[in-house]
């Protein structure tokens, strides 16, 4: 095996092991006795959850990026669906960078403003959550900042083995079509999300009978540092923290999208992942106080 390939493979394996087995000294799991309010029976419940060693994982991830393509993104040459989610906004002739900001004042807790900062800071799309919905049944919509037209709806699946969102396209004729879904991988060495396309076959919840995901999303989701890989293993999009300080009520981070990749699909998935890890992010902040 060539030395460069051996180094990349070794670092990738170490990254997976760090995420799976290395507990953070401030986030180790312990239990405390509790009394059942009805029976009075004492039992033990977990006080915290086991979290991966984020610092070690980030270091290994950065080293892997350095050996591969310096954290860049590659063009997507085979988009797994047609047409893209928006003829005007989805695809560009070059790489683009977006800034995602969670609104400080929101009535749903799921509102984001997204700017295209590739050349200048221009409003791109906005994401708004539903005002009225069932508990645990989140719904978000992506609309153009300039025209207000809705292009994508992300609808959380109420009953699912893992956190999942169905992805819907809003067509020109006014119809709404499910194009796929994003779900958290049930069995994995590290936190992973898979994006599947509708109508590609397969069934089941364990992954044994499912089709190959169109995209796999891996990395450190709590610190907004993760990448999108297509079915060929190419990194076609990345999300990274923007700035030194992360504010829970006003998240701000960057998303880089490769040429030919559907930016609206990437942004939809990022917002779904953000919602899933928002509670964990709040818990981590409380643990560090």
């Amino acid at each position: 095996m060539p030395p460069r390939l051996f180094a990349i493979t070794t670092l990738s394996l170490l990254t997976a092991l760090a995420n799976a087995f290395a507990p953070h000294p401030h986030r180790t799991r312990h239990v405390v006795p509790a009394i059942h309010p009805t029976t009075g029976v004492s039992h033990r419940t977990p006080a915290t959850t086991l979290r991966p060693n984020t610092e070690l994982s980030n270091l290994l991830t950065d080293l892997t990026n350095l050996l591969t393509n310096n954290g860049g993104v590659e063009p997507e040459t085979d988009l797994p669906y047609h047409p893209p989610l928006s003829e005007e906004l989805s695809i560009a002739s070059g790489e683009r960078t977006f800034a995602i900001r969670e609104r400080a004042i929101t009535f749903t807790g799921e509102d984001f403003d997204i700017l295209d900062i590739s050349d200048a800071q221009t409003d791109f799309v906005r994401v708004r959550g539903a005002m009225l919905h069932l508990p645990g049944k989140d719904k978000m919509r992506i609309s153009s900042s300039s025209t207000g037209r809705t292009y994508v709806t992300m609808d959380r699946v109420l009953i699912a083995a893992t956190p999942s969102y169905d992805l819907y396209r809003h067509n020109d004729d006014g119809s709404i079509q499910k194009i796929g879904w994003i779900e958290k991988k049930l069995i994995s060495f590290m936190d992973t999300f898979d994006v599947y396309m509708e109508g590609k076959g397969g069934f089941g919840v364990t992954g044994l009978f499912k089709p190959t995901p169109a995209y796999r999303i891996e990395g450190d989701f709590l610190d907004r540092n993760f990448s999108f890989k297509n079915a060929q293993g190419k990194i076609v999009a990345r999300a990274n923290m923007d700035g030194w300080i992360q504010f829970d009520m006003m998240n701000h981070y960057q998303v880089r999208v490769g040429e030919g990749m559907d930016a609206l699909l990437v942004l939809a998935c990022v917002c779904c992942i953000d919602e899933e890890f928002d509670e964990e992010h709040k818990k981590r902040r409380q643990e560090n106080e």
Side-chain angles (χ1 to χ4, degrees):
M1 179 181 295
R4 179 183 175 84
L5 179 60
F6 176 78
I8 295 173
T9 304
T10 302
L11 284 171
S12 298
L13 179 60
L14 289 173
T15 302
L17 292 174
N19 277 285
F21 301 112
H24 193 283
H26 298 296
R27 304 185 192 108
T28 54
R29 185 181 180 87
H30 62 279
V31 294
V32 294
I35 305 297
H36 193 281
T38 303
T39 63
V41 177
S42 175
H43 60 282
R44 299 176 72 82
T45 58
T48 61
T49 56
L50 185 65
R51 295 299 311 161
N53 188 329
T54 302
E55 289 77 10
L56 177 59
S57 173
N58 287 344
L59 175 61
L60 294 172
T61 300
D62 291 342
L63 288 173
T64 303
N65 291 339
L66 183 63
L67 286 172
T68 53
N69 62 352
N70 280 330
V73 294
E74 300 182 67
E76 172 60 279
T77 57
D78 187 19
L79 197 68
Y81 56 91
H82 183 79
L85 294 174
S86 167
E87 294 288 354
E88 299 81 16
L89 303 178
S90 287
I91 308 296
S93 58
E95 179 182 311
R96 288 185 289 178
T97 303
F98 301 94
I100 297 183
R101 299 186 300 188
E102 187 171 354
R103 291 174 64 89
I105 300 176
T106 171
F107 295 102
T108 68
E110 303 159 356
D111 296 343
F112 303 86
D113 290 328
I114 301 177
L115 286 73
D116 186 343
I117 58 174
S118 304
D119 297 317
Q121 295 187 9
T122 58
D123 292 336
F124 186 64
V125 294
R126 55 175 179 257
V127 181
R128 298 293 182 264
M131 291 293 294
L132 298 175
H133 55 74
L134 296 173
K137 180 66 172 175
D138 297 332
K139 178 179 287 190
M140 296 176 283
R141 292 183 175 89
I142 296 182
S143 305
S144 169
S145 296
S146 58
T147 67
R149 176 183 170 180
T150 298
Y151 288 103
V152 189
T153 292
M154 302 89 83
D155 194 0
R156 183 182 174 120
V157 180
L158 190 58
I159 301 176
T162 61
S164 304
Y165 284 80
D166 288 334
L167 305 173
Y168 293 90
R169 172 213 307 276
H170 290 247
N171 296 313
D172 292 338
D173 60 5
S175 62
I176 300 176
Q177 172 191 6
K178 181 180 176 182
I179 66 159
W181 70 96
I182 176 175
E183 66 177 42
K184 190 173 183 180
K185 191 173 177 62
L186 185 62
I187 302 174
S188 177
F189 284 113
M190 67 179 74
D191 286 330
T192 302
F193 286 82
D194 287 332
V195 181
Y196 294 94
M197 295 293 103
E198 186 76 359
K200 297 297 183 180
F203 63 93
V205 298
T206 64
L208 297 177
F209 305 102
K210 286 186 176 179
T212 302
Y215 297 100
R216 174 152 291 172
I217 310 170
E218 297 176 322
D220 183 354
F221 297 104
L222 280 176
D223 282 335
R224 277 74 168 181
N225 185 8
F226 50 91
S227 60
F228 288 67
K229 291 183 180 179
N230 63 13
Q232 292 75 42
K234 294 182 179 180
I235 296 178
V236 294
R238 289 183 184 273
N240 292 95
M241 289 295 300
D242 180 28
W244 295 101
I245 301 176
Q246 172 77 355
F247 298 96
D248 285 303
M249 295 305 294
M250 195 172 179
N251 296 327
H252 182 193
Y253 50 101
Q254 293 184 0
V255 176
R256 302 175 65 186
V257 179
E259 178 181 354
M261 181 60 184
D262 193 327
L264 293 188
L265 176 69
V266 173
L267 297 173
C269 292
V270 168
C271 291
C272 292
I273 292 171
D274 190 283
E275 286 305 302
E276 285 307 313
F277 280 88
D278 188 57
E279 288 300 320
E280 291 194 39
H281 196 68
K282 292 179 181 177
K283 290 179 182 178
R284 187 179 68 168
R285 182 195 61 184
Q286 294 171 355
E287 291 170 4
N288 291 336
E289 289 179 350

